[in-house]
């Protein structure tokens, strides 16, 4: 059952915001080098989960381990250093809107190595932009870019320090189907080039099946199932079927929330 | 029942926490001279017109009012002294700080609030940068440093405003007016005003940044953060001013 090496291991994660219990005992293992897609409806706790992996949020209960290190044992400064292993792209890109594209991508490089030469930065910025299929946008500010371009610049910024782990938060939400396909291809290319472990959260099924090695289904703060795309599609779990078919009626939307007592299959 | 108290102490706690983090991060590299310079220019240089306008009209109106009152018992020779002392000890610092709270405190609340709701602050953290270190440290110290300088200018301009009104409008003797203005003023009067100004700068920036930093809930949240930055900043200036005055005189 258990795979030999886990890049990331989440065990028994509980997280509440006030009275809202968002993650309710979540377990998830992510293997080195795999591309995991986490599917889930709106408000299922996808973004909260991602923020736990990178240490932006701390769980109320449970542990997050990355490369065998329990994140809760790290101090504030160590955690900041530790984050260099990660590259994260945000919904809408989260580019610094007071800076140009060039400055946005140069930012992590300058922060990591304050003495780096401008020529080296430029070379790396060009490389990163080329990896995401953009050119000639260096001097533009984020407001001048389209949604798809903004996200690709966000990717370029995320890979500037060649991270081992890439996190994508809803990379295709709000984009047209063609741009979605482009973004999916960019994600696959980046993964091939960097060999990084990739975690993508989305509710876009087409996109999920295009980029995933394994797909995990998140519902009401727990992982319902994790399986390779084909198995996932063939599953007879009525909850997965409801999500795949996009039906309004079914076990996912039943109230009150069904009590899942079993530990989900890793 | 205790909701208002609860939120008051929550806000006080948050602002104090931000201030402590600013202190802890101030002396840690990497330093970002460009951020510091940008903030100095925004708070210091770009606020000059508004602060000076406030000062010149306050000096002027003080001269008008005091002249009318003192004339009732024939003491109009002392207008210069009262206007001057009121400006340097109290009015320049407090009114200047209120203008800065409206101008810069609001800008900080709005800018950081917008960065928070568009996840730019999260992005900073992910890019191995402490947002307090990168965003708030330069803002707080730039404002703390810029405010006394601005207020020193405002002192001079306020006195000038009083002089112009007294001499031109009320027909006071120019030489006597200036002589009286500075005869009863010593360095401590001016210093106390400038120390107040520095404290006000610290308050306005820390509160403004804290409001923005903790903003949530989209555009509406940014609006709330901006309003709170101005209102809380201004009230803090007025309340702290009372206790500082009590302490220093």
């Amino acid at each position: 059952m258990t795979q030999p090496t886990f890049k990331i291991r989440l065990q028994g994660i509980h997280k509440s915001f006030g009275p809202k219990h968002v993650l309710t005992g979540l377990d998830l293992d992510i293997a080195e080098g795999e591309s995991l897609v986490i599917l889930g409806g709106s408000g299922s706790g996808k973004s909260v989960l991602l923020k736990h992996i990178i240490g932006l949020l701390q769980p109320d209960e449970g542990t997050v381990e990355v490369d065998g290190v329990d994140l809760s044992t790290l101090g504030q400064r160590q955690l900041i250093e530790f984050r260099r292993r990660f590259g994260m792209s945000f919904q809408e890109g989260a580019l610094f809107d007071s800076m140009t594209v060039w400055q946005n991508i140069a930012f992590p490089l300058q922060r990591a190595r304050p003495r780096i030469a401008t020529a080296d930065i430029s070379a790396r910025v060009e490389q990163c932009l080329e990896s995401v299929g953009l050119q000639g946008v260096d001097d533009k500010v984020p407001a001048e870019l389209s949604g798809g371009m903004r996200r690709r610049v966000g990717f370029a910024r995320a890979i500037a320090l060649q991270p081992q782990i890439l996190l994508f938060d809803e990379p295709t939400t709000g984009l047209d189907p063609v741009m979605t396909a482009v973004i999916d291809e960019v994600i696959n290319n980046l993964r091939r080039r960097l060999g990084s472990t990739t975690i993508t959260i989305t509710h876009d099924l087409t996109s999920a099946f295009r980029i995933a090695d394994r797909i995990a289904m998140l519902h009401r703060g727990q992982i319902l199932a994790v399986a390779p795309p084909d198995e996932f599609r063939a599953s007879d779990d009525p909850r997965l079927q409801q999500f795949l078919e996009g039906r309004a009626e079914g076990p996912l939307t039943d109230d009150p929330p069904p009590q899942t007592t079993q530990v989900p299959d890793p | 029942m205790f909701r208002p108290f609860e939120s008051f102490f929550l806000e006080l706690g948050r602002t104090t926490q931000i201030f402590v983090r600013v202190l802890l991060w101030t002396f840690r590299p990497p330093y970002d001279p460009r951020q510091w310079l940008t903030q100095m220019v925004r708070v210091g240089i770009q606020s000059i017109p508004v602060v000076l306008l406030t000062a010149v009209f306050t000096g002027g109106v003080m001269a008008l009012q005091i002249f009318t009152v003192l004339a009732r018992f024939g003491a109009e020779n002392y207008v210069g002294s009262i206007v001057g002392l009121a400006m340097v000890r109290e009015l320049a610092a407090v009114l200047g700080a209120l203008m800065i709270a409206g101008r810069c405190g609001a800008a900080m609340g709005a800018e950081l609030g917008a960065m928070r709701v568009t996840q730019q602050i999260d992005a900073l953290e992910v890019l191995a940068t402490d947002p307090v270190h990168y965003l708030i440290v330069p803002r707080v110290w730039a404002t703390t440093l810029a405010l006394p300088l601005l207020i020193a200018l405002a002192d001079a301009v306020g006195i000038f405003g009083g002089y112009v009104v007294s001499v031109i409008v009320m027909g006071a003797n120019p030489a006597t007016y200036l002589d009286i203005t500075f005869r009863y003023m010593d360095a401590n009067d001016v210093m106390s005003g400038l120390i107040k100004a520095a404290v006000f700068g610290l308050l306005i920036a820390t509160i403004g940044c804290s409001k923005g930093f903790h903003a949530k809930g989209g555009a509406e949240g940014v609006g709330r953060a901006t309003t709170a930055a101005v209102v809380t900043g201004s009230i803090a200036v007025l309340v702290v001013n009372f206790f500082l005055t009590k302490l220093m005189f």
Side-chain angles (χ1 to χ4, degrees), chain A residues 51 54 56 76-77 80 83-84 86-88 90-91 94-97 99 103 107-108 111 114 157 169, chain B residues 21 25 28-30 32 34 111 115 118-130 133-134:
Chain A
K51 285 185 178 172
I54 201 165
L56 283 176
Q76 212 186 8
R77 299 196 72 188
I80 285 179
R83 291 214 183 99
R84 301 230 156 100
F86 293 94
M88 177 161 177
F90 290 86
Q91 282 176 44
L95 300 177
F96 303 126
D97 46 26
M99 300 183 192
Q103 289 169 328
F107 184 85
R111 296 298 288 188
R157 187 178 66 182
D169 188 357
Chain B
R21 281 175 75 183
W25 278 104
R28 284 183 191 165
D32 204 328
R34 248 189 324 182
E111 192 181 1
M115 288 187 77
T118 56
Q119 294 188 300
Q120 291 179 56
I121 289 182
D122 288 338
L124 277 176
E125 290 204 55
V126 170
L127 296 171
T129 300
D130 186 273
H133 188 204
Y134 182 73

Side-chain angles (χ1 to χ4, degrees), chain B residues 64-103:
Chain B
L64 277 180
Q65 292 278 23
I66 292 168
F67 201 100
T68 327
V69 175
L70 291 193
R72 290 180 195 165
F73 34 90
E76 57 266 54
N77 279 346
Y78 291 94
V79 171
S81 182
I82 297 179
V83 171
L85 285 172
M87 285 310 293
V88 299
R89 286 170 67 112
E90 188 69 42
L91 290 177
V94 172
L95 295 179
L98 291 177
M99 296 310 282
I100 296 294
R103 195 180 173 275

Side-chain angles (χ1 to χ4, degrees), chain A residues 16-261:
Chain A
S16 304
F17 298 97
K20 234 170 89 186
H21 204 165
V22 180
L23 299 180
T24 54
L26 180 144
D27 298 278
L28 184 63
D29 293 324
I30 299 157
E32 173 114 42
E34 80 165 324
S35 168
L36 180 81
V37 169
I38 302 171
L39 278 178
S42 314
S44 58
K46 297 186 304 259
S47 294
V48 173
L49 171 57
L50 215 53
K51 285 185 178 172
H52 276 84
I53 295 175
I54 201 165
L56 283 176
L57 289 173
Q58 274 74 43
D60 298 336
E61 258 178 72
T63 54
V64 181
E65 277 175 45
V66 178
D67 289 331
V69 179
D70 180 350
L71 292 190
S72 66
T73 62
L74 298 177
Q76 212 186 8
R77 299 196 72 188
Q78 288 170 306
L79 190 60
I80 285 179
E81 284 302 315
F82 199 80
R83 291 214 183 99
R84 301 230 156 100
R85 295 171 197 220
F86 293 94
M88 177 161 177
S89 114
F90 290 86
Q91 282 176 44
E92 316 285 335
L95 300 177
F96 303 126
D97 46 26
S98 58
M99 300 183 192
T100 63
V101 167
W102 191 94
Q103 289 169 328
N104 262 285
I105 303 169
F107 184 85
L109 300 166
Q110 289 162 329
R111 296 298 288 188
R113 281 177 287 160
R115 278 172 225 292
I116 189 171
T118 312
D120 294 340
I121 298 179
S122 285
R124 183 76 194 127
V125 169
E126 282 316 312
Q127 235 174 358
C128 291
L129 280 174
E130 193 233 298
S131 303
V132 298
L134 287 175
Q135 49 186 321
V137 293
D138 302 44
D139 297 328
K140 290 202 158 60
V141 290
E144 297 174 293
L145 303 176
S146 72
M149 281 163 101
R150 259 204 293 272
R151 280 178 225 206
R152 281 191 279 172
V153 174
F155 292 2
R157 187 178 66 182
I159 60 167
L161 292 173
Q162 291 174 301
Q164 307 160 14
I165 305 165
L166 277 172
L167 308 175
F168 296 100
D169 188 357
E170 310 225 357
T172 56
T173 301
L175 298 180
D176 65 71
V178 174
M179 191 43 73
T180 300
V182 170
I183 294 282
D184 291 342
E185 202 168 305
V186 169
I187 291 177
N188 284 333
N189 281 339
L190 288 180
R191 211 181 125 223
R192 260 200 302 278
R193 278 201 203 188
L194 296 167
S196 11
T197 307
T198 314
I199 305 163
T200 311
I201 61 176
T202 186
H203 51 231
D204 183 335
L205 288 170
T206 331
S207 186
F209 284 107
R210 267 201 291 249
I211 58 184
D213 291 333
R214 286 196 306 158
I215 298 179
M217 171 84 193
L218 181 67
H219 179 61
R220 292 211 163 101
Q222 296 193 335
I223 300 291
L224 290 184
V226 190
D230 295 338
E231 262 176 62
F232 192 90
R233 210 193 299 261
S235 162
D236 49 13
D237 186 324
R239 295 170 301 190
L240 301 194
Q241 286 307 321
Q242 185 195 348
F243 193 84
L244 291 175
E245 290 163 23
R247 276 182 284 117
E249 306 279 311
L252 290 179
T253 33
D254 277 351
D255 271 337
Q259 290 298 313
T260 326
T261 44

Side-chain angles (χ1 to χ4, degrees), chain B residues 197-219:
Chain B
V199 175
F200 296 159
L202 188 70
L203 281 171
I204 291 166
T206 311
I207 291 171
C209 289
S210 170
K211 295 292 179 192
F213 193 76
H214 294 107
K216 55 182 172 200

Side-chain angles (χ1 to χ4, degrees), chain B residues 2 14-15 25 27 68 75 79 88 136 157 166 195 204 214 240:
Chain B
F2 296 106
R14 278 177 171 174
T15 312
W25 278 104
F27 301 104
T68 327
V79 171
V88 299
I136 304 185
V157 173
S166 297
I195 292 171
I204 291 166
H214 294 107
V240 169

